[in-house]
Amino acid sequence: VGPYVLVTPNETRRKKLQQIAKKELNDLEQWKKEHKPGPITFVPQRLGGNESEAQVRQNQQMILMQSKYQKKHKREEYVKAKKAAEEAEILKKKAIQREKAERLEVKKRQEEMQRREMLLEDQKYKTNELLNRLDVGLPKSDSCQIANPGPGSTAWERIRAYKQALREDENRRLEEMKQEQQRKAELMELKQKQEEETRTRALKNEQRSCLQSLFIFYCTLRVNNAFLDRLQNKIQPNNIYNPGCTG
């Protein structure tokens, strides 16, 4: 701690300040006494509404019951909407999985078709190779051999007939495969159309059920409001004032 200087208090100034503060407090007390509010006087008058306490209590109870019913209906609607949304999400996921399975099936069929085509090409190549090797060992078909047909020409005709039969069989198989692929494509398209119609019909049924629920709620609300209005009119005849109760 560094050095410090002790200053002695000024007693004259302190007394002067204390006198000023005491005078201000006295002036404040005197002002409060002079401006003290007097007694309040009002003209007597009748207070309250046109309804009795029992009617007010009954109206409050009816409003409370109506609010409870509305809250219950809103909660039911929320649960129903949540359930419908969950079901729609499940249907959407199922549709996605179904589309994936269909694409996988189409891919497998295409691979099977390609494998069959490659097998047929390989078979055709080997058959042509075998026939070409047979052609090498046969005599050439010149004019003399045509005029005097022998066993060689007969073998040549058998080979040609065999080639023609193989070609026709191959063409027939290719045509059958094309027809089968076209038939599968038509069946797939028909199946997709049926699924689209089923989804559209389900969506329309869901919308119809929602509209029916809203219509039933609207009719119920109108009936309840009409019942409450009739009940209030019976309880409150001509708005007669009851002097024994205050609102």
Side-chain angles (χ1 to χ4, degrees):
V1 179
Y4 62 92
V5 178
L6 181 63
V7 179
T8 57
N10 192 349
E11 294 293 336
T12 304
R13 185 180 178 185
R14 179 183 294 178
K15 289 180 180 180
K16 187 177 179 180
L17 292 174
Q18 288 177 354
Q19 290 176 359
I20 293 171
K22 187 176 180 179
K23 183 175 180 301
E24 289 179 353
L25 290 174
N26 293 332
D27 293 340
L28 178 61
E29 293 293 333
Q30 187 67 25
W31 183 87
K32 286 182 179 180
K33 290 180 181 179
E34 291 176 356
H35 294 81
K36 183 178 180 180
I40 299 173
T41 56
F42 289 105
V43 179
Q45 58 182 354
R46 190 182 300 277
L47 301 176
N50 296 326
E51 296 182 355
S52 63
E53 184 178 0
Q55 291 175 353
V56 173
R57 297 293 183 188
Q58 191 170 5
N59 291 335
Q60 289 178 352
Q61 187 176 4
M62 287 194 304
I63 292 171
L64 181 61
M65 290 174 63
Q66 189 175 4
S67 65
K68 286 182 179 179
Y69 177 76
Q70 291 177 355
K71 288 181 180 179
K72 182 180 178 181
H73 184 74
K74 286 181 180 178
R75 185 166 57 251
E76 291 177 354
E77 289 294 330
Y78 172 74
V79 173
K80 190 182 294 183
K82 186 177 179 181
K83 187 176 180 181
E86 291 177 355
E87 291 179 355
E89 187 68 21
I90 292 171
L91 291 175
K92 184 178 178 181
K93 290 181 179 179
K94 286 183 178 179
I96 292 172
Q97 294 296 329
R98 192 182 299 110
E99 290 178 359
K100 289 181 179 179
E102 290 175 356
R103 286 198 296 268
L104 183 61
E105 185 68 22
V106 171
K107 186 177 179 180
K108 287 182 179 179
R109 289 174 183 174
Q110 290 177 355
E111 290 177 354
E112 183 66 21
M113 291 291 292
Q114 291 178 0
R115 189 180 65 81
R116 288 182 181 180
E117 290 177 358
M118 292 175 65
L119 183 62
L120 288 174
E121 290 291 335
D122 187 37
Q123 186 178 2
K124 181 181 176 182
Y125 175 76
K126 289 182 178 180
T127 304
N128 291 330
E129 186 179 359
L130 177 61
L131 293 175
N132 291 329
R133 281 187 292 177
L134 290 175
D135 289 341
V136 172
L138 292 175
K140 296 183 179 180
S141 58
D142 52 2
S143 58
C144 297
Q145 290 174 351
I146 292 173
N148 298 317
S153 62
T154 305
W156 175 251
E157 290 177 358
R158 286 200 301 269
I159 291 171
R160 288 180 61 186
Y162 180 68
K163 285 185 177 181
Q164 186 68 23
L166 287 177
R167 195 176 296 108
E168 291 177 356
D169 189 22
E170 185 179 355
N171 293 332
R172 181 177 57 79
R173 289 182 181 178
L174 289 174
E175 187 67 26
E176 288 178 356
M177 290 175 65
K178 289 180 180 179
Q179 291 178 1
E180 183 180 359
Q181 189 174 6
Q182 185 177 2
R183 185 168 57 255
K184 288 180 180 179
E186 291 176 356
L187 290 174
M188 185 68 68
E189 185 177 0
L190 181 61
K191 185 178 179 181
Q192 290 179 356
K193 287 183 180 179
Q194 290 178 355
E195 291 177 354
E196 186 66 25
E197 291 177 358
T198 304
R199 286 196 293 268
T200 305
R201 195 178 301 110
L203 182 60
K204 288 183 179 179
N205 292 332
E206 185 178 357
Q207 292 177 355
R208 191 180 296 110
S209 63
C210 291
L211 290 175
Q212 289 177 357
S213 300
L214 290 174
F215 179 72
I216 292 171
F217 171 67
Y218 177 70
C219 293
T220 307
L221 187 61
R222 287 189 62 184
V223 171
N224 291 335
N225 290 333
F227 173 74
L228 292 176
D229 292 338
R230 289 197 301 272
L231 185 63
Q232 187 174 5
N233 291 330
K234 288 180 181 179
I235 294 173
Q236 185 181 356
N238 297 327
N239 294 330
I240 298 175
Y241 174 72
N242 188 2
C245 300
T246 58

